[in-house]
Amino acid sequence: MEGLVNFTARGREVLSTLVENAMTWLATSGLQILLVVIGAWVALTISRRMLNQVHRSIAGKHGDAERIKRADTLTGILGTLIWAALFLAAGMMVLKEIGVDIAPILAVAGLGGLAIGFGAQNLVRDVITGFFLLAEDQIRVGDIVEAGGKSGEVVSLGLRTVRMRALDGTLHIIPNGNITTVSNMTKDHAFALANVGVAYREDTDQVFKVIAEIGAQLRQDKEFSASIIEDMEIHGVTTFADSAVIIRCRMKTLPGDQWMVLREFNRRLKQRFDELNIEIPFPHMTVYAGEGKRGEAPSLPVSVQDKAA
C-alpha cells in the first residue's frame, strides 16, 4: 500500500513537472513559433496585395493581352521568390525554437546552392536576362527585332528563351543569356527611311519637290493615311556617291507599317521619275580601245550585220 502511494506521488510529481515544462515552453518557444507563423502569414498577405498592385500597374487599364501576359509572368515569378524566402526564413526560425541546430542545415544549403550555381550558370543567366527583358518591356510578342545575331518576328517570350520567326519562315530559338543587345524595329513608332539616288545632271530642287509630292499623296491616300503619322521629311543631299547624288527622306509611321509605306513610296517615285525623265543611276560600262605610245588610238572594229540577211 505504501509503494502504491509512493508511485502515485511520483506520477503526480512527474506530471506536474511535464505540465510546468510545457507551460514554460508555450510561454517562451511556443509563443515565439506562433509569432513567427503569424508574422509570415501577415508578410505573405501584404506581399500578395503589393503584387496585385504591381500587376495592375503593368497590365494597364486597357486590357492589352500582351501587357497582361507580361504582368502575369513577372508577378508569378516575384510571388514564387517571396513565398520561398518567407517559407525558408520561417522554417529556420521554427527549427531553432524547437531546439534543432540549424548551423549544419545552413552549411549544407550553402554548399548545395553553390554546387547548383556552378552547374547551372547558363540557366540562371538566361532566367535573369529573361526577367529583365520582360520587366523593362524591351520586346513583346509580335515585335520585329534583331537580337542574338538573328532577326524576325517574336512569336514567344519566356524566362529562358526568345523564339523569333524569320521572313523566310525559319524559327530562331535564342537563349536569353546570349542576348546582349536588342534592336526593336516596331517599338512605339517607326520611320519609312529612303535614300533616293539620282544622276549628277539632275536638278536636286526638282527632286525635292517630287519627293514632297509623293509624300503628300501617300498622306492623303485612304489606304496608307492611317499608317502615316507625320508628313514627309526631306533631309537633303547626304552623299555624293560614285555615280549618284543621294537624297535622304523619311516618313513617321505606325510601328510595323514602315516597310509597307516605303514599298509604295518607291513604286510611286519610280513612276514619277519616269514621267519627268529623271534618271535613276545604274551601272555603266565604258569600252576603251587602248592607246599607243605615240598617242594614236587604234581603230575599234565594228561589224554591222544586215537584217535582211
Side-chain angles (χ1 to χ4, degrees), residues 36 39-55 71 73-91 131:
V36 168
W41 179 80
V42 171
L44 186 60
T45 302
I46 294 174
S47 65
R48 284 177 178 173
R49 292 183 179 179
M50 293 178 63
L51 288 175
N52 290 335
Q53 183 65 31
V54 171
H55 185 281
T73 303
L74 291 176
T75 53
I77 297 168
L78 291 174
T80 301
L81 293 176
I82 293 173
W83 179 87
L86 289 175
F87 179 81
L88 181 61
F131 175 82

Side-chain angles (χ1 to χ4, degrees), residues 19-78:
V19 172
E20 183 179 354
N21 291 337
M23 294 299 294
T24 303
W25 184 85
L26 288 175
T28 55
S29 298
L31 182 60
Q32 292 291 334
I33 293 174
L34 180 61
L35 291 176
V36 168
V37 173
I38 294 175
W41 179 80
V42 171
L44 186 60
T45 302
I46 294 174
S47 65
R48 284 177 178 173
R49 292 183 179 179
M50 293 178 63
L51 288 175
N52 290 335
Q53 183 65 31
V54 171
H55 185 281
R56 288 192 294 268
S57 177
I58 296 175
K61 299 180 181 179
H62 303 291
D64 181 71
E66 291 305 321
R67 290 177 65 91
I68 293 174
K69 183 178 179 181
R70 183 166 64 94
D72 290 341
T73 303
L74 291 176
T75 53
I77 297 168
L78 291 174

Side-chain angles (χ1 to χ4, degrees), residues 171-290:
L171 180 65
H172 300 299
I173 303 173
I174 305 173
N176 292 333
N178 293 346
I179 300 176
T180 56
T181 302
V182 176
S183 299
N184 193 330
M185 291 169 271
T186 54
K187 182 72 171 176
D188 300 330
H189 63 267
F191 286 97
L193 179 64
N195 290 309
V196 181
V198 296
Y200 275 88
R201 66 180 178 84
E202 302 298 341
D203 182 1
T204 55
D205 290 341
Q206 181 188 15
V207 176
F208 291 166
K209 293 179 180 179
V210 173
I211 292 174
E213 174 189 337
I214 300 299
Q217 291 177 2
L218 283 174
R219 191 77 194 275
Q220 296 172 2
D221 193 302
K222 294 182 179 179
E223 184 178 354
F224 300 96
S225 60
S227 300
I228 301 173
I229 300 175
E230 295 179 358
D231 293 334
M232 174 70 73
E233 298 178 11
I234 302 176
H235 296 169
V237 177
T238 58
T239 308
F240 292 106
D242 293 337
S243 60
V245 177
I246 307 300
I247 299 170
R248 179 176 297 163
C249 58
R250 70 177 188 179
M251 296 187 74
K252 191 174 183 179
T253 69
L254 295 177
D257 291 347
Q258 64 267 38
W259 299 289
M260 174 188 67
V261 172
L262 181 60
R263 287 192 294 267
E264 181 63 17
F265 171 77
N266 289 336
R267 186 185 72 84
R268 297 191 183 195
L269 187 67
K270 172 63 167 60
Q271 291 180 345
R272 188 59 176 156
F273 277 3
D274 291 343
E275 293 173 1
L276 299 176
N277 196 27
I278 297 176
E279 180 183 352
I280 300 176
F282 56 90
H284 293 72
M285 178 180 293
T286 301
V287 179
Y288 177 59

Side-chain angles (χ1 to χ4, degrees), residues 126-146:
D126 292 342
V127 171
I128 293 175
T129 304
F131 175 82
F132 282 106
L133 285 176
L134 288 166
E136 297 176 358
D137 197 21
Q138 297 180 20
I139 56 179
R140 298 170 298 179
V141 174
D143 285 346
I144 307 297
V145 303
E146 182 177 347

